[in-house]
Amino acid sequence: MSQIRVRVVGAGFSGAVAARLLAERGAWVELWDKRAHIGGNAFDTQDDHGVWMHPYGPHIFHTQSQKVFDWLSRFTEWRPYEHRVKASVDGKLVPMPINRTTINQLYNLDLDEAGVEAFFASVRQPYHPPANSEQAVWSCVGQDLCDKLYRGYTRKQWGRDLSELSASVVTRIPVRTNDDDRYFSDAYQYMPKDGYTAMFERILDHSHITLRLNHPFDPTDAAHKAGCDALVYSGPVDAYFQYTYGALPYRSLRFEHTHHTNTDPYQPTAVVNFPNEQAYTRVTEWKHMTGQVCSGTTLTYEYPTDVGEPFYPVPSDASQQQFDRYKVLCEAQENVVFIGRLAEYRYYNMDQAVASALAKSSALASRLGLMAEGV
Ligand code: FAD
């Protein structure tokens, strides 16, 4: 029986997956989280009206990775869910990402697929490669659609103009010439049948895992790093190194929740984007997403802000260069593994966080001489 002890900081996707993998390979794992609950930002719960919702913003699971899907399927059944979003523009609710319907509705046209392709060809301003998000959007759909659907939303979301953000921010959003109005194109699009928190409870249900909630890790406290053979850290990387190279920029969100007693859906899709005319970026109506049948409906309005929980690493050249300096410090740490959205300072989706945690904790298990997988 192994006596290897690993401390894992953070009980979100990254930390929970690492904890489970290491425990199954024989390590004794202590999992700490400063919050009072597991699941990190994917945590879900019921509000005061009994409506299931995600307090840290809507989380939709989608992936191309069969490996990630199969691994999580050990801990949950799934409910098929294809996410759809409308954007409120010029007094109309149009599909987002842009598709044939979006173009026809916005410009009062009746184009077929070939017509939409020709439309895009006539408005595109190609940049090879685009140097920033503005050039990436112009390359794809031209200036007018950029101003209608992207510029205002980005300015609210990131507090910066499109031209100040790296191209990667917008290249993840597809643009279509057909009527496909799904937000994602991935092969696997599901929600955990009993919710994310229930899935996390099952991931962490292992005799080698001890969970300590309300337990903040303090990198300046030597005792917090002692008493274990390795540390897996999924908190903010700049905090770990006591902001040696300054605080990395993050965007956060302030949420406003409203409940309506009427039972009919309030909006046509789970999420409606407001790129231009409101201070909030988007509104989520939870029952579309969770599939819950209940009287009344709860909506959440998102207001982006610079203060609060670090949600989104800001994808700019300057922040990447700042992070690169922290990365050198990470690589010099012995038996400390940095994983996840905050420690790797990367705009990870849930599936990417899982894939990274599986790879990095598996490599750590081998380095620690733990049992091989499947033993
Ligand atoms: P987190 O979930 O942030 O977990 C980190 C954990 O570490 C937290 O529980 C935190 O409390 C804990 N922690 C931090 N510091 C300390 C410390 N010092 N001591 C102890 N504990 C600490 N992804 C998708 O795939 N689909 C979506 O639809 C989607 N929507 C999103 C919407 C929003 C608003 C946000 C913010 C993210 C969204 N994501 C989505 C991304 C998803 O949340 C992340 O991929 C995922 O949460 C990453 O998991 P993580 O464990 O790396 O980080």
Side-chain angles (χ1 to χ4, degrees), residues 190-359:
Y190 294 94
M191 297 293 267
K193 196 167 165 222
D194 307 319
Y196 289 99
T197 306
M199 179 175 74
F200 275 93
E201 280 166 2
R202 293 182 206 121
I203 293 173
L204 299 179
D205 181 15
H206 190 286
S207 58
H208 279 216
I209 298 177
T210 306
L211 177 64
R212 297 195 199 292
L213 294 175
N214 300 307
H215 215 79
F217 172 85
D218 177 358
T220 64
D221 187 337
H224 286 194
K225 296 179 182 167
C228 57
D229 300 285
L231 180 71
V232 175
Y233 179 81
S234 72
V237 64
D238 50 0
Y240 187 90
F241 294 107
Q242 293 138 66
Y243 305 100
T244 302
Y245 299 128
L248 286 163
Y250 283 98
R251 283 297 269 176
S252 191
L253 293 170
R254 179 173 64 78
F255 300 106
E256 265 181 31
H257 310 287
T258 57
H259 183 79
H260 301 272
T261 49
N262 56 308
T263 302
D264 293 340
Y266 202 80
Q267 57 187 38
T269 45
V271 169
V272 174
N273 285 356
F274 291 85
N276 304 314
E277 66 272 52
Q278 310 288 357
Y280 45 83
T281 44
R282 59 179 182 173
V283 179
T284 300
E285 184 171 20
W286 295 103
K287 56 203 246 182
H288 289 289
M289 192 176 294
T290 60
Q292 185 184 14
V293 178
C294 60
S295 64
T297 189
T298 297
L299 298 124
T300 297
Y301 295 70
E302 290 181 29
Y303 295 83
T305 156
D306 273 334
V307 293
E309 285 283 325
F311 280 162
Y312 301 108
V314 174
S316 68
D317 291 343
S319 63
Q320 185 57 45
Q321 281 161 17
Q322 194 182 353
F323 171 66
D324 285 345
R325 300 181 76 193
Y326 280 112
K327 210 169 154 194
V328 174
L329 298 182
C330 293
E331 282 159 5
Q333 295 288 303
E334 264 187 42
N335 284 333
V336 184
V337 180
F338 295 85
I339 56 169
R341 201 175 240 230
L342 301 169
E344 295 181 69
Y345 197 65
R346 287 186 64 176
Y347 193 109
Y348 273 148
N349 281 324
M350 294 181 280
D351 63 323
Q352 296 167 314
V354 172
S356 169
L358 286 174

